[in-house]
Amino acid sequence: MTELLRLEKIRKTFPGVLANDDVDLSIEQGEIHALLGENGAGKTTLMNCVYGLYRPDSGKIFWKGKEVSVHQARDAIALGIGMVHQHFMLVPPLTVAENVVLGLPLPREPLLDLSAVEKEVQQTGERYGLLVNPKAQIWQLPVGVQQRVEILKALYRKAELLILDEPTAVLTPGEVEELFKVLRSLANQGISIIFITHKLEEVMALCDRVTVLRNGRKVATVNTSDTNTRELAKMMVGREVFLDIKKPDLMPGEVVLRVKNLSALDNRELPAVKSVSFYIRRNEILGIAGVDGNGQTELAEVLFGMRKATNGTVEVLGYDVTNCSPLEIINRGVAYIPPDRQHTGLLLDFTITENLIGKSYYKLPLSKNGIFQSRPIAEFAASSIKKFDIRTPGPDLKVKLLSGGNQQKVVLAREMSGNPALVIAAQPTRGLDVGATEYVRNQMVEARNTGAAILLISTELEEILTLSDRIAVMYEGEIVGIVPAKGADIHEISEMMAGVLRVGDLTAMDI
Amino acid sequence: MLSDLASIFLNLDFYVAVVRMTTPLLLAAVGSVLAERSGVVTFSMEAMMLMGAVGGIIGSGVFGNVWMGVLLAIVFGMLVGFAYSLMAVSVGAHQIVTSVGLNLGAVGLSAVLYALVFTRGSEVIQTVIKVPKLPLVKIPLLGDIPILGPVLFNHLPVVYVGYVLVPVVWFILYRTSWGLKIRAVGEHPHAADTVGISVSKVRYATIIFAGAFSGLAGSFLSIGLLGSYMENMTAGRGFIAYTAIVFGKWQPVGVFLGTLLFGAADALQLRIQALNLGIPYQFLVMLPYVVTMIALISVVGRASWPASYGSPFKREEG
């Protein structure tokens, strides 16, 4: 095997943060190399240095044995390095072919004659199993296909090294299988792949070698055949992790949430939730599985009064709360963990204390005759910080300075206070590292055990399977099936997520 | 009265005036479409036009040659474009606020330049100074077609530039690699950046291009129509041109139709004034602006501006 890329002692700092601390890395030709680490471990930063988007403070980059300096993306592309970013770098109104050639000299420069390009895109696609219509506009394509376009874009630029930043985050299980097939075929044809991820199973299933990063430092590089997920998790987090959450069997209680024929529109006024019906009982977690963008977010917003229902009813503990205001719904004992803690979940420029009292600031004892009572507020904040293990130098720190995991703990602390009857948790562990994920999941189960009903929306199928008592699958705004979590068939659920199978509510009861 | 109004539309002079009134709006608006599509708000067209107007009068007056006036107008417009690029692209300042500053500054600067050149700053009373103005050019053959000839092909040369500009801008935008880069930068600057396109170069170039044609539009007012200069003589035409861009939903042909609508409204109010119908002229002068507002309200709806519209581009570090 010949070495394609070698990094020596790459160091990159941002104001106040050491993102990469003298990291070494070696990539061989034709290998699939995983870059594993928690969020904030420095994986993406390291690759941005290779790709010329960041300039390392010190360290050397060798390409095919020669030292190179990569000042901008153009340099990296010229060397033969392609990168598929987590957020696609595709221009939505342009066609596939236009995106592929963007920035390259055209056959009949400066005329925009794409017929030759379209043909070549087609051929490259056929060669690597990446079929796309070169004339389609990006915005019309599903996410999985857009990703193919990104890979094609790199291959068209004669990439010999392909960097993929968390490529499976946006895919259905079926699409992930498809992607892995493509990547293996690329590797067989001599292309090297760096696969950035924090998912251990993916490392084991796809990669030849794995380099683990923790807090900006390289922990180790190992062959996947010589290791296992437990060992990798330990290297990644620095301690033993227990993602298998123990969940006692409980008899579900009374119905807390009952939704009947609920419909709603999305921001573009198109139907997003289509006549959805389900219920959740006390001591029960109903997981809603589905690929992102199939109406889950809109459903959560309707339930919490943030989006208008166009049809149907929502009942909480027997009260009709359809199209009530969020405040009225909160007062019925509903808590909401929004999918984007940065925008909806928190006021980033406010302090931890101010965020913690966001739901109860106007009530006694925090407030008396409209005036804040500083001592009760300080006590409330201190006890929340302690109870939810929020790691912070003090309660007056701005929330935006906390890590993602600690930010989510602030949301949890605010929402879980006052023992809600119903918790709507939308993507509660999105973007969190393994340690924080473990914490949030335990909190969900804890709330369930103590009598709450929980609606868990997640695009991580594994999370749904671990936590739920029953699983509903959403596809294009409809619930295409509800099955008990015990003995659930993962292939069946995948097929429902992809819209090819429909089973209806297998857990329906007449009450 | 109705028959009087009808007589306006039966007279060829009205249509000649429509073309004449449309031209400065068209040059500025269509000339700015590329910059707009690259994601920049060209609200500073008013300043570019005003500096063009004064540049035209200075060039023509000082050199005694109207073409030097045209050249200086273009240069002045490009300089405003460069100044705007510095602020909006390099510094990343708020584009509307920067534009307002430039527009207000240009009112003063143009008056000062005019006074310095023509009255040496000493004379308090301004006399109207006449300079060489652009000649009418009748296009051979085409100009002899009945009706169409006099309406379309017997104009100042700048008008013909306007005719050509619409297809040229359309062609650049949709049929060249430059246009592809411009659209990519406007819709997803980060994507453009990662494939090695310089976002700021594209924006600088298109803004300066807009400056050149807005400057030319300004010169049309001073050394084209009048051969003399008045303070603040653009009278908000830069803003109307901006409105035409919104009305035309950032499509070259649509923007052209917008300028035609506003140009026609302007020509119409002038004709009605000439009829002496006893309507106070202030009401008539309002007409193009009222048409502008009605037009804007009627096209509100689907968002069609470039996705990065008005936001400066910065690489995300950290």
Side-chain angles (χ1 to χ4, degrees):
Chain A
M1 281 272 200
T2 49
E3 188 183 61
L4 187 65
L5 174 80
R6 185 166 86 247
L7 306 183
E8 278 182 9
K9 300 210 172 308
I10 297 288
R11 170 181 285 262
K12 174 74 187 168
T13 52
F14 296 114
V17 186
L18 179 56
N20 289 141
D21 187 358
D22 291 346
V23 178
D24 295 337
L25 181 70
S26 164
I27 304 294
E28 283 169 3
Q29 205 199 337
E31 77 163 328
I32 305 183
H33 195 117
L35 202 53
L36 180 72
E38 297 194 285
N39 289 295
K43 308 175 298 257
T44 304
T45 306
L46 185 68
M47 287 303 110
N48 279 341
C49 287
V50 174
Y51 195 61
L53 295 179
Y54 296 159
R55 217 172 286 188
D57 303 336
S58 63
K60 290 178 183 164
I61 301 175
F62 295 86
W63 179 257
K64 297 181 180 168
K66 273 192 222 121
E67 186 177 352
V68 290
S69 54
V70 189
H71 294 307
Q72 42 185 334
R74 206 185 310 196
D75 304 338
I77 295 167
L79 289 175
I81 301 174
M83 182 158 175
V84 177
H85 297 81
Q86 205 172 355
H87 304 285
F88 295 151
M89 291 295 167
L90 297 171
V91 185
L94 301 187
T95 67
V96 170
E98 284 174 330
N99 269 286
V100 167
V101 291
L102 189 63
L104 293 177
L106 295 175
R108 287 175 60 204
E109 190 76 30
L111 293 184
L112 191 59
D113 179 3
L114 293 172
S115 48
V117 179
E118 283 164 1
K119 208 183 244 168
E120 202 166 332
V121 167
Q122 193 85 38
Q123 285 166 352
T124 318
E126 279 164 18
R127 194 168 138 210
Y128 296 108
L130 289 158
L131 289 180
V132 235
N133 171 12
K135 288 190 168 131
Q137 286 177 313
I138 297 299
W139 63 269
Q140 302 168 319
L141 302 173
V143 182
V145 181
Q146 292 188 15
Q147 190 172 54
R148 269 183 238 166
V149 178
E150 280 279 35
I151 296 173
L152 269 176
K153 202 166 116 184
L155 295 176
Y156 188 84
R157 286 167 166 73
K158 311 271 175 266
E160 294 170 63
L161 171 67
L162 203 55
I163 303 168
L164 300 155
D165 192 357
E166 309 231 354
T168 59
V170 290
L171 302 181
T172 62
E175 286 173 325
V176 171
E177 261 319 302
E178 200 59 30
L179 173 71
F180 283 8
K181 238 184 259 167
V182 168
L183 295 183
R184 283 192 198 107
S185 120
L186 287 174
N188 282 337
Q189 301 188 45
I191 291 173
S192 309
I193 292 162
I194 299 180
F195 190 88
I196 304 179
T197 186
H198 61 251
K199 294 182 189 164
L200 304 164
E201 310 79 45
E202 291 179 354
V203 174
M204 298 308 292
L206 178 72
C207 302
D208 306 311
R209 290 197 297 164
V210 47
T211 295
V212 185
L213 293 185
R214 187 169 77 229
N215 297 329
R217 261 184 230 118
K218 175 174 153 177
V219 180
T221 298
V222 289
N223 294 325
T224 43
S225 50
D226 302 335
T227 186
N228 56 48
T229 50
R230 240 184 94 156
E231 198 179 280
L232 286 176
K234 203 174 156 189
M235 281 195 260
M236 180 160 90
V237 186
R239 61 176 169 85
E240 287 281 352
V241 190
F242 303 99
L243 277 177
D244 305 329
I245 281 172
K246 298 258 174 323
K247 207 175 60 175
D249 285 332
L250 290 175
M251 208 38 212
E254 62 178 313
V255 171
V256 176
L257 174 72
R258 184 185 291 282
V259 174
K260 275 190 202 147
N261 305 323
L262 189 68
S263 299
L265 305 176
D266 65 12
N267 293 340
R268 295 167 301 168
E269 310 264 300
L270 301 172
V273 180
K274 300 170 190 164
S275 198
V276 160
S277 301
F278 62 91
Y279 62 87
I280 314 178
R281 293 165 292 185
R282 279 195 192 283
N283 303 106
E284 185 178 56
I285 297 181
L286 175 72
I288 297 208
V291 180
D292 213 359
N294 274 289
Q296 303 98 312
T297 311
E298 286 82 2
L299 173 64
E301 287 172 357
V302 180
L303 296 180
F304 199 61
M306 289 164 58
R307 183 177 290 277
K308 215 171 139 7
T310 50
N311 191 27
T313 56
V314 181
E315 275 175 29
V316 174
L317 291 168
Y319 295 97
D320 185 355
V321 297
T322 321
N323 288 329
C324 283
S325 74
L327 183 61
E328 289 168 290
I329 292 172
I330 288 170
N331 288 338
R332 293 272 171 229
V334 180
Y336 178 47
I337 297 164
D340 55 339
R341 58 184 162 274
Q342 306 250 336
H343 294 113
T344 321
L346 293 166
L347 291 158
L348 290 180
D349 281 311
F350 279 31
T351 65
I352 295 172
T353 305
E354 286 165 336
N355 273 287
L356 284 171
I357 64 172
K359 259 171 105 176
S360 44
Y361 65 91
Y362 60 92
K363 290 182 196 157
L364 280 170
L366 302 184
S367 195
K368 211 185 260 175
N369 304 322
I371 294 168
F372 281 153
Q373 304 299 306
S374 40
R375 189 167 304 160
I377 287 177
E379 281 163 8
F380 178 80
S383 77
S384 299
I385 288 172
K386 192 161 170 236
K387 189 170 162 209
F388 286 87
D389 190 29
I390 301 167
R391 308 275 171 86
T392 167
D396 296 323
L397 195 76
K398 282 187 181 172
V399 159
K400 69 173 170 196
L401 298 173
L402 292 176
S403 71
N406 280 301
Q407 287 182 350
Q408 191 70 324
K409 285 179 189 170
V410 175
V411 176
L412 281 177
R414 184 188 67 211
E415 294 299 326
M416 296 303 199
S417 67
N419 297 324
L422 170 69
V423 180
I424 302 168
Q427 313 285 4
T429 61
R430 179 186 275 177
L432 298 187
D433 56 44
V434 183
T437 299
E438 181 190 21
Y439 182 88
V440 171
R441 288 182 182 175
N442 276 323
Q443 285 291 326
M444 295 286 128
V445 172
E446 179 62 26
R448 160 199 181 261
N449 293 350
T450 52
I454 292 177
L455 178 71
L456 171 72
I457 295 173
S458 177
T459 48
E460 304 270 343
L461 190 49
E462 172 254 333
E463 176 162 278
I464 296 278
L465 291 168
T466 322
L467 294 183
S468 309
D469 295 299
R470 288 185 297 137
I471 299 172
V473 183
M474 263 186 108
Y475 175 74
E476 291 195 339
E478 289 178 80
I479 288 187
V480 290
I482 304 181
V483 296
K486 235 181 213 160
D489 180 353
I490 192 166
H491 291 289
E492 204 177 279
I493 292 175
S494 298
E495 284 183 348
M496 283 195 269
M497 284 168 72
V500 291
L501 179 71
R502 212 174 249 277
V503 300
D505 189 351
L506 301 183
T507 65
M509 53 176 200
D510 303 311
I511 43 172
Chain B
M1 182 172 159
L2 273 178
S3 65
D4 288 334
L5 283 175
S7 74
I8 290 177
F9 294 104
L10 293 175
N11 194 332
L12 279 190
D13 282 353
F14 168 68
Y15 299 97
V16 176
V18 170
V19 174
R20 205 160 51 218
M21 290 305 173
T22 301
T23 296
L25 300 175
L26 185 158
L27 288 170
V30 178
S32 297
V33 162
L34 296 179
E36 287 272 324
R37 288 296 287 266
S38 82
V40 178
V41 184
T42 57
F43 200 60
S44 48
M45 272 182 277
E46 180 77 3
M48 294 166 172
M49 287 177 81
L50 198 51
M51 292 307 291
V54 81
I57 208 87
I58 290 172
S60 182
V62 169
F63 297 100
N65 180 340
V66 68
W67 300 107
M68 289 306 289
V70 171
L71 183 67
L72 199 63
I74 293 175
V75 171
F76 273 26
M78 291 169 81
L79 283 175
V80 178
F82 182 73
Y84 184 50
S85 304
L86 276 179
M87 295 300 292
V89 180
S90 297
V91 178
H94 191 286
Q95 296 177 3
I96 300 285
V97 173
T98 308
S99 295
V100 169
L102 280 175
N103 292 338
L104 292 175
V107 175
L109 183 61
S110 58
V112 168
L113 285 176
Y114 181 76
L116 279 177
V117 172
F118 291 104
T119 65
R120 312 230 179 282
S122 59
E123 286 172 46
V124 180
I125 302 158
Q126 293 194 0
T127 48
V128 175
I129 287 158
K130 284 279 179 188
V131 303
K133 63 176 199 168
L134 288 167
L136 278 178
V137 176
K138 185 172 151 189
I139 297 196
L141 296 177
L142 290 173
D144 294 324
I145 303 170
I147 302 179
L148 282 184
V151 170
L152 293 176
F153 301 112
N154 188 15
H155 278 286
L156 302 174
V158 177
V159 172
Y160 305 131
V161 176
Y163 291 172
V164 181
L165 187 61
V166 181
V168 165
V169 166
W170 180 88
F171 188 83
I172 292 178
L173 197 54
Y174 296 112
R175 288 288 181 272
T176 70
S177 64
W178 304 319
L180 185 64
K181 285 179 192 167
I182 291 168
R183 285 182 285 146
V185 164
E187 295 291 343
H188 198 333
H190 286 283
D193 187 42
T194 52
V195 293
I197 295 171
S198 164
V199 174
S200 45
K201 261 189 212 158
V202 168
R203 289 186 173 165
Y204 262 83
T206 53
I207 295 172
I208 291 171
F209 182 91
F213 284 95
S214 300
L216 184 64
S219 77
F220 182 79
L221 299 172
S222 60
I223 54 174
L225 297 176
L226 295 173
S228 63
Y229 177 80
M230 291 177 305
E231 233 174 76
N232 198 17
M233 77 183 306
T234 48
R237 281 191 178 76
F239 301 127
I240 296 195
Y242 179 75
T243 312
I245 293 175
V246 179
F247 175 83
K249 297 195 167 176
W250 288 265
Q251 308 286 337
V253 176
V255 174
F256 158 66
L257 293 176
T259 60
L260 192 61
L261 174 67
F262 303 143
D266 212 3
L268 183 63
Q269 66 92 5
L270 285 172
R271 295 287 131 180
I272 300 176
Q273 274 192 52
L275 287 176
N276 261 326
L277 294 175
I279 306 170
Y281 80 93
Q282 288 90 340
F283 279 101
L284 294 171
V285 174
M286 276 164 45
L287 187 66
Y289 305 94
V290 173
V291 169
T292 306
M293 300 225 289
I294 293 171
L296 269 191
I297 293 164
S298 62
V299 297
V300 166
R302 195 176 68 89
S304 48
W305 52 80
S308 76
Y309 197 47
S311 39
F313 172 72
K314 273 199 197 90
R315 272 190 197 165
E316 284 163 25
E317 285 254 335

